[in-house]
Structure formats: C-alpha cells, structure tokens
Amino acid sequence: MSNPKTRNISVTGSIGFSDLKVSEPSDYAAGIPGIKAALEHVRKESGLFRSLKTLSQMNQKEGFDCPGCAWPDPETPSKLGEYCENGAKAIAEEATFDRVDRAFFEKYSVEEISTWTDYQIGKSGRITEPFVLYPGSVHYEPISWSDAFSMVAKHLHTLDSPDEAIFYTSGRSSNEAAFLYGLFVRAFGTNNMPDCSNMCHESSGVALTETLGIGKGSVVLEDLYEAEVVMVIGQNPGTNHPRMLSALQKCKENGGQIITINPLLESGLNRFKNPQQIDGILGKGTQLTDIFLQVKINQDVSLLKLIMKRLVEREKKGEPVFDRDFIKDKTNGFQELLNDLEKYGENHLLELCGVDSSQVDLAVDLLAKKSKIIICWAMGLTQHKNGVDNIKECVNLLLAKGSIGKKGAGTCPVRGHSNVQGDRSVGIMHHVSEPLNKALKDIFDFDPPDKEGLDTVNAIQAMHQHKAKVFIALGGNFVSAASDTRYTAKALQNCDLTVSVSTKLNRTHLTAGKTALILPTLGRTEQDKERFVTVENSMGKVHQSRGRLKPISNKLRSEPEIVAEIAQAYFGEDSKINWMVLGMDYGLIREKISEVLNGYEDYSKRSKGAGFYLPNNAREADFSKLPDGKAQFSICRLPEHDLKDDEFLLMTVRSHDQFNTTIYGMNDRYRGIYGERRVVFMNPYDMEEKGIKPRQTVDLISNYSTTERKAENFKVIPYNIPSKNLCAYFPETNVLVPIDLYADKSNTPASKSIVVKIEIKHK
Ligand SMILES: Nc1nc2c(c(=O)[nH]1)N[C@H]1C(S)=C(S)[C@@H](COP(=O)(O)OP(=O)(O)OC[C@H]3O[C@@H](n4cnc5c(=O)[nH]c(N)nc54)[C@H](O)[C@@H]3O)O[C@H]1N2
Ligand SMILES: Nc1nc2c(c(=O)[nH]1)N[C@H]1C(S)=C(S)[C@@H](COP(=O)(O)OP(=O)(O)OC[C@H]3O[C@@H](n4cnc5c(=O)[nH]c(N)nc54)[C@H](O)[C@@H]3O)O[C@H]1N2
Ligand SMILES: [Mo]
C-alpha cells in the first residue's frame, strides 16, 4: 500500500489581526460589568432560560460542580448561587446550541478548519457522535461506537510493548472516570499517564511533598477568613478563581491584610465589587491588596530572600519574629537556611527583584508581627525553570513563622482544572506508587507495572521519536496546551492512532495521528442517567456533582462508560475485571476506590451534601513520614537570567475571556484589551528605548539551544509591567516555549519565563 498523503495542517491557525481597541485597565473586578458579561455569554451561547436554570444549580449541594475552576464552595452557598462570571462562561460554552455533526465535517476538511483561530474552532460547538479520520483523509466521518472501540483495541494489540502507548488526562474528569482509566492503563501494562498537572501544579506537588510530606495545600476555606496575612503570589484570581475574591473580602472584613506579589497589578486583586452583595454592585467595593510588590518575572526567590533577610535583622534586634518553638520541634535545616541567607547582599537582591525597598519594608513589618499567614499561589510560581524552588522558598517563610498546621495559616496552591486534584488522588500519575500497586494487585489480581511512566514533556519526545505510537486523551487539548506547538503537533502526527475523548472540537483533533478518533462525551452539566460523580476541590474536599441538563445528543457516552468499553474491547471476555459493570455502576467504582485508597471510607454516602475532607498531614502538623519526622527547610538558588540588551523575559498568561485553550471571547476587560488576542504588553520606557510605537506590529523570536522559534504578528501595548519583562496570551505564544525548557524536578514547561527578542515588522 502506498503511503497516504500527509495532511496540510496549520498548527497556529490564522495569525491575522481582528479589531483591537484599548482602554485603561480596570481598577476593580466583578461588579455590574461582570454580571453583564456573564449574562451576555449565557444568552448568546445557550438561551437565557436553559442557562439560568443551570446557573442556579451550580455549586449547590444537589447541583453540579462548576467546570470552571477548583476553588471550594462555602458551607452555606449564597442564595444567588455560587457562581461567577467566568463560571457562567464555562457553562455557556458547554450548553451551547452549536453542533459539530456530520454536516459540519462534510462541509469542512481538517485542513480548512486548521486555518481558523482557536476561538473559531471552539465556537463550532459540541461534538454529537463518534467520528473517525482515516489515513490520508481530510474529512472526519461518522463511525459507530462499537467499531471505534474495536479500532482502539486493535491498535493497542499491535504495539510491541504497552509503553508504546500514551494515556493523557485533562483535569475535568471525575474521580470515577479517572480511577477506572488509571486501572485500565495499569492493567494494560504502562505508567505512561501524563496529565495536565504536569504543565500546571507539578512544581507545587514536588516542592510540597519534599518539604511537608503532602503534594497538596494545607488550608481549608475557613482558614482564609481567619488569616492575619494572605500573600497572593503569581496568581490572577480576578480572572481565574473569581470566587476566591469573596474569601479574600471576608479575610479583610475580619481584619486580615493582603500582600500581592506579581509583575502586574491585576485588577481583581485591587478592588472587588462582590456581585452577590447589593453594596458590592452599587458601592465602591472592597480594596483587597494592602501591599503590592511589583516583582520582576521569576525574581520571587530574590524577593523572598530579601524579606527573610530583613526579618532576620529584626529578630537580631530582639523582636520575636520567628516561631522558635515550632522551628525546634517541627523542622529541620533552619540554621543552614540562615547561613545561606548571609551569602546574599541586600542591594543585589533588591536590584534583581526590582521592588521598591520601602514597599518591601511594609511587607516585612507586617510579616514580623503576624503569625497566621497563608500563601496562595498559582502558575506565576510553578511555570519556571526553578518552579520547585519558588514554592520551597514560600514554604521556608511559612515554616519560619510557624504558619503551618494551625488555623488561619498554611499553604494554598490554587488549583486549575476543577478536578485536577481529584484525578491525581485516585491514581492518575506517571510515577510508580508502591502502596497503590500493592493494593491494586490485592484487589484486582494483576501485576501493575513498576517502571516509571512518561510525563507530558517526555511523552511528546517519545512520540516525536516514533517510540510511542498510540495517543489517547481523556479530555484536554494537548497540542495547544503543551509547549512548542510545532514540535508537539509533529509528535502527534507521527502516531498511528490518536484518540480524543472530548466535548468540543479543538486543535488536537486536527493535528491528528495517521488515524484519529473523536469520542464525544457528556459535560459536567449534563444528566448522566440517574448517576452522580464525585470531584475533589483545591482544598482536598470530595463531594458530589450531578448534571441536570438534557444531553446535547443521545449518542454521547459518559467518560466511565467509554473507558470501560475500551478496556472491554482490549481485554475481551476473559478479563478478571468486569469492566462493563464498573463502567455502568459508579457506586461500585467508589467502593473499589475506598478499598484501594486511604481516606475514602463510606465514600458514596459521605460525598453527599458538603462532602468530606481527605486526610492531610500538613494540616495536622504531622511530619512523621519525612526525614527525622520533621518538615524541611530548603536552600534555594537564585534564578539565572542573563538577558542581553535586546532580550526580554516573556510570561504567557490567560486573558479574562478564555479557559486554557478554549477562547470564550476576544476581550481581556480587566487589562483594557478588546477585540484582539495577538498583543504583547511592554514597559513604555523599554518601548521608547527600542523605538517601538504603541500598537506597532512585531514578531517574537525565541532562540534556545540553537533552535529559532517565532510567533508572528503581535501588537505592542504599553503597560505597567517591569522593565525587560513582556506578557502575552497562551496558546498563541506556545510556539515559543522550547520543548526542552522546563522546571527542574517537575518537568513543568517554563512558559512564564521565555527569553525572546522583538523584531519590528516593516510592511
Ligand atoms: N476563567 C478561567 N479560569 C481558570 C483558567 C482559565 O484559563 N480561565 N484556568 C484554570 C487553570 S488550569 C489554572 S492552572 C489556573 C491558572 O490561574 P493563574 O495562575 O492565575 O493563571 P495565569 O493567567 O497563568 O496567571 C498567572 C499570574 O501570575 C503572574 N506571574 C507570571 N509570572 C510571574 C512571576 O514570575 N512571579 C510572580 N509573582 N507572578 C508571575 C501573572 O502576571 C498572572 O497574574 O486557573 C484556572 N481557572
Ligand atoms: N504557554 C502556556 N501554556 C500553558 C499554560 C500557560 O499558562 N501558558 N497553562 C498550562 C495549564 S495550567 C494547563 S492545566 C494546561 C491545560 O491543558 P488541557 O487540560 O489539555 O487543555 P484545556 O484547554 O483545558 O482542554 C480543553 C478541551 O477539553 C475538552 N473538555 C472540556 N470539558 C470536558 C469534559 O468534561 N470531558 C472531556 N473528556 N473533555 C472535556 C474540550 O474538548 C476542550 O476543547 O495548559 C497548560 N499550557
Ligand atoms: Mo492548570
């Protein structure tokens, strides 16, 4: 047979401009514009009635868990429903009336769709039935569910080793789906389970496990209300976790203060008008940030070291700054940390972090006097070469203050996807866990693989090198989310088969393997017969979620059903595990989870209502599993960025109108950007020095280990951002992130510190 024609797929889509309008950034978040924006999305996408019904059930005890973010719900949700503008947009995207059906794929080839922007692709709508793309073909065609499952099984059987398959997971899958998937993949024989966490909070997981013995945060929601100081570092909650603003507001009402560390003064952290309170809608709102430390990109370690040094000076003068009893009883390595701090000159640290010295003093003064401190963080800390050290330096500060394991204090890594934490807890990971393997062997009677699997970066490299040949994704949009888009696209296209279990069309369906399948699944909002699933929020609480809307097509299957059918097709009738029964009966899956894992006793029952917390040793200040039974201080190095005169450090962030690679709209209201996403924020003095005018068109070039990468066509926006720093949106800028630039130990792509040059475009 002759080689099928390769498809001509654009990995970036159109790079033309739309219609840019710029205004002053907003100085507050939410309020009336937030409600208006939410309702507009809801009306446009899904009809007002259908969605209001949906919104009112979001994050209520009998409703469904918002697919937006993983922020926890308060014990008594507000009468208006615990939803936010961006939660409403997430729902509207799922409840949309637009359809990707047979007629759609007859009309458009994958080659044509690939020239659209991600915004246009996402707006095509929900996928209505299974589709297949045959080798050499450029049109997806319908395929029956049973033929699709047989096709997956056939490909898996032809592999020389189970390690030639990759099983990706995004973070929207329920605990039940994720557990069943992990069970199948291990029974199949590999630990190749990369997940979106690898690109997200992996650095937090590694740092927290090594220092505190658990890869999750230690606080619960009520701790935020009680904290004396909350530090929000490298996070933009106004856009990405809007319901967190209500918690910060409560903290302030109780007398707490907020220190924000960020290269940008994000409006959500400035002033907040709570849409669920009348005075929030009509009044001036609450000033959230008390002290704003405008750090240069990736200089958080320098700033935290400076803060620690000044705290040490104050202690030397006789102030009771550190919790010496806690340090003595509960920790290891404080003296080494103090010795190390002496190596750094204050002025050098000040210059590196770029923060005004008097502002640093304000923070030091506050931190010296208070002991109930919480540090919240997200991608601004994790997505750097030294992502793990960034978090360890935060832990150092908390341990020195005795701010772990007591009320109103602790670590708060704010998770991304609504169930990314749950997926990990029930077994989605590429590492080998001996206790998990042992339990699986005891209960399911097979030998789980004991070889480390591939994470996201390594999986991409394996596919690129033809070492892995089948790629299966439970959700997500791998090609647009991962680094080095062109490289990753090639990696997927090298595969013999790519399979996407998806709700909506995305670019990964286009950068397909030789054969590709799209298996359409129910969204979180949709009725799944009479069944419910469970999820775990950012603070380790497990609770139910039950969809209420009529599914958009009667040909959709639930994720557990799809996983079970693939397993059944692969293992056949003689399998020791009754896959089909598990796929139908989520209660049974929960029983199995509670047999395999600690902390899930009486699972189905306890997940009702408010749900239950999983065990958390850091919350109890129990470090018995760590060396010497103690929490560990760490010595962290300063990051190295030797920027040449024409080089800048670029961070790639989310706009207000997107959920990761799903683009809700073209605006970034809080930052004053309307109608365009191909923009790059730049310091006005840097612009002047380089002769760049506002809205000038430029290309961004990254040179890393001899490869030049280019992202074309960006309009430069003068913005309040530190000198030598730039900011632009992902996924458009993922073409610039080198595949081999990732965090030490966690392998998280360093998508917040990419060295780039700016090339002015002359027409
Ligand atoms: N509406 C909406 N909600 C979401 C998402 C979404 O896309 N849309 N995504 C979800 C997911 S998966 C995740 S992981 C979270 C992401 O939530 P965030 O981490 O808040 O998302 P980013 O836009 O990546 O924002 C990073 C923030 O870090 C700052 N930053 C960048 N580099 C540095 C640095 O070196 N130091 C410091 N101190 N700050 C820095 C940026 O200025 C920005 O404010 O949100 C989740 N929730
Ligand atoms: N440059 C840069 N790159 C980044 C980041 C960054 O800050 N900068 N952030 C990284 C982070 S934090 C993350 S978490 C990753 C995100 O990586 P992913 O999780 O892979 O990407 P998403 O965009 O969230 O995936 C969206 C797709 O998921 C599918 N989907 C939605 N809901 C469901 C569902 O309920 N079930 C199923 N099966 N499918 C569903 C839809 O088809 C949709 O197109 O991106 C990473 N990439
Ligand atoms: Mo994430």
Side-chain angles (χ1 to χ4, degrees), residues 168 170 383 417 477 481 501 504 506 559 652 660-661 734 752:
Y168 176 68
S170 168
Q383 296 173 333
H417 266 300
N477 179 7
V501 179
K504 297 192 77 175
N506 65 48
E559 287 186 352
T652 59
N660 298 341
T661 68
N734 255 338
K752 297 273 193 281

Side-chain angles (χ1 to χ4, degrees), residues 236 240 262 266 298 300 378-379 384 654 658 660 752:
N236 179 19
N240 298 312
N262 201 306
E266 304 283 22
N298 197 210
D300 301 83
M379 298 303 101
H384 296 283
R654 292 152 173 81
Q658 75 185 81
N660 298 341
K752 297 273 193 281

Side-chain angles (χ1 to χ4, degrees), residues 428-618:
I428 298 299
M429 64 185 155
H430 57 282
H431 294 303
V432 178
S433 156
E434 278 177 23
L436 175 65
N437 278 4
K438 187 174 171 310
L440 290 176
K441 165 126 184 114
D442 288 348
I443 289 153
F444 294 102
D445 192 21
F446 71 90
D447 285 303
D450 54 9
K451 182 179 151 205
E452 282 286 288
L454 300 173
D455 62 9
T456 294
V457 164
N458 287 315
I460 296 169
Q461 286 175 335
M463 291 186 280
H464 205 270
Q465 294 159 11
H466 292 273
K467 288 185 188 154
K469 296 168 185 161
V470 171
F471 172 84
I472 299 182
L474 191 63
N477 179 7
F478 194 77
V479 79
S480 301
S483 45
D484 226 336
T485 320
R486 292 192 175 89
Y487 186 94
T488 300
K490 183 86 182 51
L492 289 172
Q493 287 165 333
N494 279 348
C495 288
D496 293 331
L497 176 72
T498 51
V499 182
S500 297
V501 179
S502 308
T503 51
K504 297 192 77 175
L505 190 66
N506 65 48
R507 197 168 292 281
T508 301
H509 305 137
L510 312 174
T511 55
K514 293 179 187 84
T515 303
L517 284 167
I518 306 177
L519 306 180
T521 192
L522 294 169
R524 191 70 71 71
T525 51
E526 290 169 316
Q527 283 158 4
D528 183 359
K529 308 202 170 85
E530 285 306 306
R531 299 175 292 201
F532 66 87
V533 293
T534 55
V535 291
E536 176 184 337
N537 70 28
S538 198
M539 291 172 184
K541 194 181 226 184
V542 179
H543 62 91
Q544 290 189 4
S545 172
R546 194 193 288 269
R548 298 286 178 179
L549 286 184
K550 188 167 172 275
I552 59 106
S553 147
N554 58 14
K555 289 194 176 153
L556 305 185
R557 300 251 171 122
S558 76
E559 287 186 352
E561 285 169 356
I562 293 172
V563 172
E565 293 258 20
I566 291 176
Q568 176 67 28
Y570 179 78
F571 286 108
E573 295 306 320
D574 316 324
S575 175
K576 286 184 200 154
I577 300 170
N578 195 334
W579 299 101
M580 298 306 282
V581 170
L582 280 171
M584 293 303 292
D585 184 350
Y586 305 170
L588 188 59
I589 302 182
R590 285 188 287 274
E591 267 174 42
K592 294 294 168 197
I593 295 178
S594 65
E595 286 174 42
V596 171
L597 297 161
N598 290 331
Y600 294 87
E601 298 77 21
D602 215 1
Y603 189 173
S604 288
K605 197 158 148 228
R606 284 200 300 149
S607 66
K608 285 203 176 111
F612 63 94
Y613 280 108
L614 290 174
N616 188 307
N617 66 284

